[in-house]
Amino acid sequence: MTKTISDLVIERLIEWGVDTIFGFPGDGVDGFFETLRTHQDKLRFVQVRHEEAAAFAAVGYAKYTGRIGVCVATSGPGGIHLLNGLYDAKCDLQPVLAITGHTFHDLIGMNYQQDVDLGKVFMDVAVFNERVMGDSHAVNVVDMAVRAAYGRRGVAHITIPKDMQEWKVSDEHRSKANVAQHSADLSAPLKVLPAPTLLEQAADVINKGSKVAIFVGRGALHARDQVTQLAETVGGPVVKALLGKGVLPDHSQYTTGGLGLLGTAPSVDAMKECDTLIMIGTSYPYMEFLPKPGQSKCVQIELDPTRIGLRHPVDVALTGDSKTILQALLPLLKKKDEKFLKKAQERMKHWNELMTERGTRKDMPMKPQVVTYTLSKLLAEDAIVSSDSGTIATWAARYIEIRDNMKFSLSGMLATMANGLPYSIGAAIAYPGRQVVCIVGDGGISMLMAEIATLVKYNLRVCVIVIKNNVLGQIKWEQMILDGNPEFGVELHPIDFAKVAEACGARGFTLERPEDAERVLREALSHPGPTVVQAVVDPNEPPMPGKATTDQAMHFAKALLRGQKDAAKIIKTIAEDQIREVV
């Protein structure tokens, strides 16, 4: 049987090792879907309920596997719907390939139905962005798209006109310059090692420091052993950006956890007191939490040279793979005493005691911390946990303890809502034998709630934990604490998510009392299919930073005085949380 352009595209993706495509059908990709049907023994198509979820699922798949995530959508509106998920991939530097349809090749630009120039639409989001121009062009485009996604760590986009998808392959269409089979399905991982003189300069800076802090991000996830050895050698604490939460287990003696509004007080202290900072694989955006310029010397290890010095002045820059560089740098470092580390450890001991106290409270309404604290104790040692954006990110960051081979992620630089559930779809497809848990707020889950049906359709064993407080909590507290305004426009109409789950065919649970937390969560986690737990929590529990600033305290007080609803309850909650000074 004569092959079509769609056959060429699909078979080349299979040769690249692609085994899953997330997407939603439409008439603009009918030819492509026929090829998906005829190749379903080698490549799995996962149908979601919204194209945005397809892109998010591809991002989650890429984050948790390190392999390219692939999504497909029809022409016009289908492709447009992919954009938010694709921007998530762009912002977090994930290899994702988006394949879209286009209108008939000879009606492009003629205002035909769904005639949207997705090539132009995707110009900002994609590192590679091309329209397939014929059968002899197709394999070249696929190869370049995959290489670009991997090599430039971003989004590649291929769009194929509707009729071209079914064109038959013929050598008559090939130009003389386009030598057949010249393009290779191979990408080379970047393992650049800086010059020895640079490594020696970096070692000299670190060896001269007396209070060394290590700050790690997603780029150090594969370098756990080297980061541990570095912390032991320099006698310094490891502070983790949120996407780097899995670099070290949270119970490690060398880490003080996260930084910033979602982080810990000991991490803030470490940044304020260090005289030397080692940044590894992070472009953490909140510069106000880093050492002030001039306070400390800085060595930055970063794969992308454009991110050197982006957030903090750098004395020595080491560009390349973090694991490779650390392996070369460690033998050059001198063993230091552990005074600075021991001070951080003592602070961490008190912080963990505080987290335990808050995570085991029996107040009613139930505190959101109780849910994530209890959940953490029940997670498998290789669980994959996805979080959504909002206050839920705080509860997940502080109370979900990374252990052993656990994986954790969320939308980092884009910080979009609604990513958590589709991320878990990608994780469950990639790792069918592992425990997958999704922690979301009622605002985020309601945006792509239909994806519960996707879990049911493919019998994905995902446990969705919905922190339900009937308010867009992060926005509420930002309005108050950052802007000094009473909340407005943030209340949500209540949804019974347990009933929604049951209507979709999943198992639904409701958790309202702290004494029931372990029983309900244990039952949900042990269920052999998809589950949804709606945990009804106190809407007046603020996700306060590890250390509140004077400005934040003043804005908070101002908002309360200007007529903030439930001001008395909020003040009571703050007082009970042992930060009475902010009011």
Side-chain angles (χ1 to χ4, degrees):
M1 182 180 294
T2 305
K3 291 184 179 181
T4 65
I5 287 179
S6 293
D7 289 329
L8 294 179
V9 171
I10 289 294
E11 289 172 6
R12 196 57 167 178
L13 288 175
I14 292 171
E15 289 172 1
W16 272 100
V18 173
D19 59 13
T20 304
I21 294 182
F22 304 92
F24 197 81
D27 66 345
V29 283
D30 277 347
F32 188 80
F33 268 72
E34 170 59 15
T35 299
L36 283 176
R37 183 188 71 81
T38 59
H39 288 75
Q40 59 186 306
D41 58 326
K42 296 181 181 178
L43 193 153
R44 183 180 192 182
F45 170 67
V46 178
Q47 179 214 69
V48 296
R49 292 301 185 100
H50 194 290
E51 292 92 350
E52 182 180 5
F56 278 138
V59 179
Y61 184 95
K63 282 187 171 183
Y64 293 127
T65 66
R67 298 164 55 195
I68 192 168
V70 184
C71 55
V72 60
T74 190
S75 53
I80 294 169
H81 281 162
L82 292 174
L83 278 174
N84 194 46
L86 296 182
Y87 268 101
D88 186 39
K90 174 186 177 177
C91 292
D92 285 352
L93 305 177
Q94 295 302 309
V96 169
L97 171 62
I99 300 171
T100 63
H102 207 327
T103 194
F104 297 94
H105 84 283
D106 52 359
L107 289 175
I108 293 173
M110 299 295 109
N111 293 320
Y112 195 73
Q113 186 181 33
Q114 294 189 343
D115 184 12
V116 176
D117 192 341
L118 293 176
K120 291 179 180 177
V121 172
F122 283 31
M123 282 177 66
D124 180 61
V125 76
V127 298
F128 178 84
N129 184 20
E130 288 294 339
R131 182 192 304 169
V132 172
M133 301 297 289
D135 54 328
S136 58
H137 191 218
V139 171
N140 298 348
V141 170
V142 171
D143 286 351
M144 192 62 187
V146 177
R147 281 196 294 265
Y150 276 129
R152 300 179 189 174
R153 296 178 299 150
V155 175
H157 170 233
I158 298 173
T159 187
I160 315 173
K162 172 182 171 65
D163 53 333
M164 278 190 175
Q165 294 166 29
E166 299 180 87
W167 280 10
K168 304 301 182 183
V169 175
S170 171
D171 284 337
E172 295 178 4
H173 303 146
R174 183 178 298 276
S175 67
K176 292 181 180 179
N178 185 11
V179 177
Q181 299 181 353
H182 76 273
S183 186
D185 57 334
L186 178 68
S187 62
L190 186 62
K191 296 289 184 181
V192 178
L193 188 62
T197 53
L198 275 176
L199 290 168
E200 291 169 1
Q201 290 174 24
D204 185 56
V205 168
I206 296 169
N207 287 333
K208 288 180 179 178
S210 61
K211 298 178 180 179
V212 182
I214 303 162
F215 189 31
V216 298
R218 184 184 54 81
L221 285 173
H222 65 308
R224 174 179 290 186
D225 292 344
Q226 290 72 29
V227 171
T228 301
Q229 188 179 345
L230 176 64
E232 182 181 0
T233 301
V234 302
V238 177
V239 179
K240 300 189 290 185
L242 193 48
L243 287 178
K245 184 173 172 65
V247 173
L248 292 186
D250 283 313
H251 59 73
S252 168
Q253 61 180 320
Y254 297 112
T255 185
T256 54
L259 184 66
L261 295 176
L262 281 63
T264 73
S267 288
V268 173
D269 291 333
M271 288 295 176
K272 285 184 176 180
E273 297 172 5
C274 70
D275 61 19
T276 307
L277 175 65
I278 306 173
M279 299 178 67
I280 308 173
T282 178
S283 54
Y284 177 83
Y286 304 112
M287 294 169 278
E288 63 270 28
F289 291 100
L290 298 177
K292 295 186 183 302
Q295 170 193 320
S296 62
K297 296 289 185 179
C298 179
V299 172
Q300 185 175 1
I301 300 173
E302 171 60 46
L303 189 63
D304 184 352
T306 67
R307 298 191 177 223
I308 294 292
L310 183 64
R311 310 299 188 198
H312 190 275
V314 174
D315 294 279
V316 182
L318 303 175
T319 56
D321 173 70
S322 61
K323 181 176 181 178
T324 304
I325 290 174
L326 286 173
Q327 286 171 334
L329 179 62
L330 282 165
L332 305 177
L333 301 180
K334 298 176 182 177
K335 176 76 173 177
K336 297 182 185 294
D337 65 48
E338 296 185 345
K339 290 181 182 178
F340 190 51
L341 176 61
K342 288 186 180 300
K343 188 175 182 180
Q345 289 172 338
E346 187 62 28
R347 288 168 170 166
M348 240 357 242
K349 178 183 177 182
H350 294 305
W351 176 266
N352 287 331
E353 289 171 353
L354 177 61
M355 293 300 100
T356 298
E357 177 187 329
R358 293 181 179 175
T360 55
R361 288 173 62 171
K362 302 301 181 184
D363 311 50
M364 286 293 293
M366 183 172 61
K367 300 299 182 182
Q369 300 97 312
V370 172
V371 182
T372 44
Y373 177 86
T374 306
L375 173 66
S376 182
K377 305 298 182 185
L378 302 175
L379 292 175
E381 301 304 303
D382 65 347
I384 302 174
V385 182
S386 298
S387 171
D388 222 278
S389 297
T391 55
I392 188 61
T394 300
W395 312 134
R398 289 184 180 166
Y399 294 93
I400 296 298
E401 180 183 303
I402 294 296
R403 302 186 296 275
D404 295 340
N405 296 315
M406 289 173 62
K407 294 177 182 286
F408 172 87
S409 198
L410 76 176
S411 175
M413 297 298 284
L414 188 63
T416 180
M417 295 172 69
N419 68 287
L421 177 53
Y423 269 28
S424 293
I425 292 172
I429 290 292
Y431 299 100
R434 292 175 67 167
Q435 184 185 70
V436 178
V437 177
C438 171
I439 307 173
V440 297
D442 45 1
I445 187 67
S446 58
M447 289 182 172
L448 288 175
M449 192 161 51
E451 300 309 328
I452 297 172
T454 304
L455 299 180
V456 175
K457 177 173 182 174
Y458 296 100
N459 193 29
L460 301 178
R461 191 172 178 178
V462 174
C463 182
V464 182
I465 311 296
V466 183
I467 304 297
K468 178 181 175 180
N469 55 12
N470 301 322
V471 68
L472 296 172
Q474 188 72 21
I475 309 305
K476 167 182 176 175
W477 298 110
E478 285 176 347
Q479 288 176 348
M480 295 174 62
I481 296 174
L482 300 183
D483 300 320
N485 298 323
E487 65 177 81
F488 179 76
V490 295
E491 291 186 358
L492 297 173
H493 181 75
I495 296 174
D496 190 328
F497 296 102
K499 287 185 177 179
V500 171
E502 298 285 358
C504 291
R507 182 85 184 275
F509 298 84
T510 297
L511 170 60
E512 296 181 291
R513 304 190 65 82
E515 59 265 28
D516 297 330
E518 182 173 346
R519 175 184 58 80
V520 172
L521 292 172
R522 190 182 295 277
E523 185 177 354
L525 289 169
S526 63
H527 183 69
T531 56
V532 175
V533 179
Q534 63 169 353
V536 182
V537 302
D538 185 358
N540 294 315
E541 180 69 17
M544 295 299 292
K547 283 185 177 291
T549 67
T550 302
D551 284 346
Q552 289 167 344
M554 292 298 293
H555 285 152
F556 197 18
K558 180 181 176 182
L560 295 175
L561 292 171
R562 292 182 61 198
Q564 168 62 36
K565 187 183 72 170
D566 294 330
K569 293 180 181 178
I570 293 171
I571 292 173
K572 181 176 182 290
T573 299
I574 295 296
E576 290 172 348
D577 282 346
Q578 299 181 359
I579 40 179
R580 193 183 302 270
E581 66 272 14
V582 300
V583 295

